[in-house]
Amino acid sequence: VEASAAPGDAYAPHRAHSTLQPFYFIVVFWGERFRDYLVDFCLPSLLAPGNIPALSNGSGNRFIFCTTSDDWSVLNSTPVFHLLKRYIEPHFIEIPPAPSERSGCEYMGVGHQLATQMAYRDRAYGVFITPDFMISDGSGAALEPHARAGRHVVLAAAPETGTM
């Protein structure tokens, strides 16, 4: 149900888009545990028919992986990664391993900042996910009507199942 918005309401549509800017799915991760979450749960859920495969501007969309070169190499060898490449262009942003004096959550900001700068530069919609994120079939396709309505932000609360 669409609620009517007051003038200046941050949730109101600002302008309708006839053509969509690309969607950039952004994930920051490192280490076997979170790489396995990404490969076993997150990517398969994003590849459900009503998610990434349903996006209409497929060739402009990107999946930004902010991770170590070792994790990127292992990820590239997985069957789910090869399937992902059929629907969206992967892009690698290398981050060094997390320093021991910083928490994982704090260090994730390094990758988020780099990917956000890229999305902003390319005028893309940023879709920030965690490696343990799962989404129901059809949720990905639901992004497009919000973008076409001119919304700047769509928030979906998802409990995190692990910690970095």
Side-chain angles (χ1 to χ4, degrees):
V1 173
E2 186 81 24
S4 60
D9 187 328
Y11 299 103
H14 294 280
R15 58 185 162 82
H17 297 279
S18 58
T19 58
L20 285 176
Q21 296 162 223
F23 289 98
Y24 280 16
F25 291 81
I26 298 166
V27 67
V28 180
F29 76 97
W30 59 91
E32 181 180 10
R33 177 179 172 202
F34 290 98
R35 185 181 63 238
D36 287 349
Y37 286 157
L38 183 70
V39 167
D40 295 340
F41 305 109
C42 181
L43 294 180
S45 76
L46 287 168
L47 287 169
N51 292 335
I52 288 175
L55 296 175
S56 64
N57 59 340
S59 64
N61 299 323
R62 305 280 182 274
F63 204 115
I64 313 300
F65 296 91
C66 303
T67 191
T68 65
S69 59
D70 289 343
D71 285 309
W72 176 247
S73 178
V74 173
L75 178 64
N76 271 269
S77 69
T78 64
V80 73
F81 185 80
H82 291 285
L83 180 60
L84 179 78
K85 292 191 307 186
R86 292 176 53 194
Y87 299 104
I88 192 167
E89 182 181 327
H91 183 85
F92 170 52
I93 296 178
E94 184 174 3
I95 59 171
S100 60
E101 68 274 3
R102 292 180 73 185
S103 74
C105 289
E106 179 184 24
Y107 188 65
M108 287 175 69
V110 170
H112 286 137
Q113 182 177 13
L114 293 169
T116 300
Q117 289 169 342
M118 181 180 172
Y120 181 79
R121 179 197 70 217
D122 296 348
R123 301 186 50 79
Y125 297 107
V127 181
F128 294 87
I129 58 173
T130 58
D132 53 358
F133 173 81
M134 292 177 66
I135 191 169
S136 62
D137 190 12
S139 298
L143 294 172
E144 287 189 355
H146 291 293
R148 287 191 193 285
R151 290 191 173 73
H152 292 238
V153 176
V154 177
L155 175 64
E160 190 170 327
T161 59
T163 59
M164 294 243 125

